[in-house]
Amino acid sequence: MSSRRPSFFDENTEPLPSRIATGLHKIGLAMKQQSWQQANSEGLSATQGQILAALVAHGPLTGSELSERLGVTLPTVSDSARVLIEKKLLTKSPDPRHPRASLLTPTEKGAALGARARSWPEFMAAAVTSLPPEEQRAFFSGVMKMIRALQEQGLIPLSGMCVACKHFRPNVREGASPHHCAFVDAPLANEQLRLECPEHEPADETIRRELWEQFTRSR
Ligand code: SF4
């Protein structure tokens, strides 16, 4: 019986999860650097750019809603919003839903900057297009699962993902589009699942767990 002697790399390779984490860290640094450079060239901080981009994407929000969506503290949002108001890029008005809260709305100039800030991650999308389609699908699936795991651990805010939405009906039919969105009453393929849907309504914790089980059961 022959037994292979361990090679150098059998004994000197970090586990795959550690190397993936290192890779993601490097990508994160590139994104941070790009956001910082692009924000700087627009005369904004990266957080100010994120605030304007979020308001363009979701419409007027309160400071608490922005803090939750962006995963930054309320004092950070308040400081950035104050500067944006001074620069005449944001306005503050009473929130008709909550008498003691204020809604932040971008001015015309703020909305134009916010629209540009939304495109900051495009350099990353360009890098992803260098992958063949099957690798893109596998990558998307892995990214979605990682985001979900981090959300469930409370490490990043619950965002607008289909897999955590009360309108999501996973694996309800055979074929290329096995899922269904009850909000628009339309089928959904795996590669069409959304990570940041404006119509997302968070399902409660028990339903989220059930949705995830149904989603992963036949995959
Ligand atoms: S409303 Fe949006 S997040 Fe919810 S299932 Fe439909 S497409 Fe997905």
Side-chain angles (χ1 to χ4, degrees):
M1 198 169 78
S2 73
S3 62
R4 185 175 76 87
R5 280 181 48 211
S7 76
F8 174 84
F9 289 108
D10 286 337
E11 293 172 338
N12 292 279
T13 300
E14 281 194 49
L16 194 53
S18 306
R19 280 177 293 130
I20 291 174
T22 303
L24 290 174
H25 178 64
K26 287 179 185 238
I27 291 172
L29 287 178
M31 292 200 77
K32 211 168 170 184
Q33 173 74 4
Q34 279 290 315
S35 293
W36 184 83
Q37 275 177 5
Q38 287 168 354
N40 214 24
S41 71
E42 303 277 15
L44 301 172
S45 73
T47 308
Q48 290 163 8
Q50 284 179 335
I51 288 175
L52 291 176
L55 293 173
V56 167
H58 303 289
L61 296 170
T62 63
S64 308
E65 288 167 336
L66 275 168
S67 154
E68 207 172 294
R69 277 181 188 275
L70 299 178
V72 294
T73 64
L74 186 54
T76 302
V77 169
S78 303
D79 283 352
S80 298
R82 183 179 42 74
V83 175
L84 289 169
I85 290 168
E86 282 167 13
K87 290 181 173 181
K88 303 202 183 322
L89 298 173
L90 271 192
T91 58
K92 209 175 188 181
S93 58
D95 181 352
R97 301 164 302 169
H98 311 285
R100 301 226 315 255
S102 301
L103 276 180
L104 296 167
T105 308
T107 61
E108 197 176 325
K109 192 174 165 203
L113 279 175
R116 283 210 289 280
R118 283 191 78 191
S119 69
W120 289 349
E122 271 175 12
F123 81 100
M124 194 55 74
V128 173
T129 55
S130 69
L131 303 177
E134 66 277 13
E135 285 188 14
Q136 289 185 25
R137 281 195 286 274
F139 194 32
F140 179 66
S141 171
V143 164
M144 187 173 55
K145 288 176 177 175
M146 284 190 64
I147 293 172
R148 193 231 170 222
L150 293 168
Q151 286 178 343
E152 293 300 317
Q153 289 171 53
L155 295 174
I156 53 174
L158 271 178
S159 75
M161 297 208 301
C162 287
V163 293
C165 175
K166 61 161 71 161
H167 303 298
F168 185 49
R169 307 285 180 271
N171 287 318
V172 288
R173 64 174 74 79
E174 298 293 321
S177 299
H179 318 300
H180 196 83
C181 168
F183 184 81
V184 290
D185 194 20
L188 265 169
N190 281 322
E191 56 269 30
Q192 293 170 330
L193 294 173
R194 292 181 167 183
L195 298 182
E196 192 62 49
C197 172
E199 278 76 44
H200 170 95
E201 286 190 67
D204 70 32
E205 200 179 332
T206 314
I207 303 286
R208 279 207 313 275
R209 214 169 299 131
E210 285 170 12
L211 286 175
W212 188 249
E213 276 170 21
Q214 288 164 27
F215 174 64
T216 50
R217 196 172 295 153
S218 61
R219 307 180 86 225

